[in-house]
Amino acid sequence: MTMTIREAERTDLGTITEIERVSFSDPWTRAMFTPHLAPRAGAVFLVAEESGDVVGYALTQSVMDESELLNIAVAPTRRNQGVGARLLDAMLDRCKQAGAAYMWLEVRASNAAARALYESRGFVAVGLRRRYYQAPREDAIVLRVDLRVDLRLAVRNELITEHDRGLAARRHEPILSTASNLPRQEPK
């Protein structure tokens, strides 16, 4: 099947809110999503579509040179198949093209799958919001990625460096660098 990433439309809200409802214990309502559909400065609201069906969505808000990933979810039947990664990659590209230097997000401390996806894209933990989530009450880990760094180069350089030092990473946990550990790369 061919997946398309496109701007969310009002007609997508029914499916988006259903994916939200089955994905989160404290879901957003249709009314919470609606204002993000209207063209507004800094907002990006994308959906992943296959065969005419919305199978995931992502939403960011940017102010000046910072973006925040407000929400991302994938239909249960399409999880662990790369949909979330495609949405996140599209969102990172969109925000970078719009001039964002950083993207921030919060993730449940217990959400290992989401954390692994974010870390694979260069996000690093920069803080903790205690008891941030409700139902159940849980801490949020604050993550940030530097969009000015070419992450493909960062990952490759770090893996080579760590290998040369004799430090072995576990196979399923790639070593990712933060921008402070890399040579400064000037924008092209």
Side-chain angles (χ1 to χ4, degrees):
M1 281 185 236
T2 302
M3 185 186 330
T4 304
I5 306 294
R6 62 167 175 80
E7 295 285 336
E9 299 171 355
R10 186 167 300 280
T11 56
D12 300 324
L13 283 178
T15 304
I16 289 168
T17 54
E18 179 58 22
I19 293 170
E20 176 80 2
R21 188 188 64 74
V22 299
S23 298
F24 300 108
S25 59
D26 190 16
W28 284 26
T29 64
R30 184 183 189 104
M32 294 166 80
F33 282 111
T34 301
H36 298 283
L37 288 171
R40 56 188 246 190
V44 180
F45 194 173
L46 301 177
V47 296
E49 182 180 66
E50 286 182 336
S51 302
D53 296 323
V54 171
V55 295
Y57 62 89
L59 173 62
T60 62
Q61 180 63 50
S62 299
V63 176
M64 301 194 53
D65 69 342
E66 295 189 352
S67 293
E68 182 178 0
L69 182 65
L70 300 175
N71 210 327
I72 184 169
V74 174
T77 59
R78 295 296 288 126
R79 291 184 186 150
N80 300 311
Q81 297 174 40
V83 177
R86 291 269 314 269
L87 279 164
L88 182 59
D89 290 344
M91 198 58 83
L92 290 166
D93 288 343
R94 286 279 191 95
C95 291
K96 184 176 181 174
Q97 289 171 8
Y102 301 98
M103 182 180 285
W104 299 80
L105 61 86
E106 291 95 7
V107 62
R108 280 187 183 270
S110 65
N111 192 341
R115 289 175 59 192
L117 172 61
Y118 299 138
E119 289 168 6
S120 76
R121 297 314 192 261
F123 282 87
V124 294
V126 294
L128 182 71
R129 298 189 198 282
R130 296 214 180 273
R131 301 174 51 82
Y132 179 80
Y133 291 104
Q134 301 175 12
R137 183 65 73 182
E138 186 175 353
D139 295 344
I141 297 173
V142 179
L143 302 176
R144 181 186 75 188
V145 65
D146 187 335
L147 298 174
R148 300 167 300 175
V149 174
D150 183 343
L151 294 176
R152 293 173 305 251
L153 178 62
V155 171
R156 190 184 80 229
N157 285 346
E158 189 66 16
L159 288 171
I160 292 168
T161 303
E162 294 302 319
H163 178 71
D164 290 345
R165 289 186 197 151
L167 301 174
R170 284 182 255 163
R171 282 188 147 158
H172 62 282
E173 295 182 45
I175 298 170
L176 298 175
S177 295
T178 61
S180 62
N181 294 330
L182 292 173
R184 198 157 178 79
Q185 296 179 8
E186 297 301 321
K188 295 178 181 174

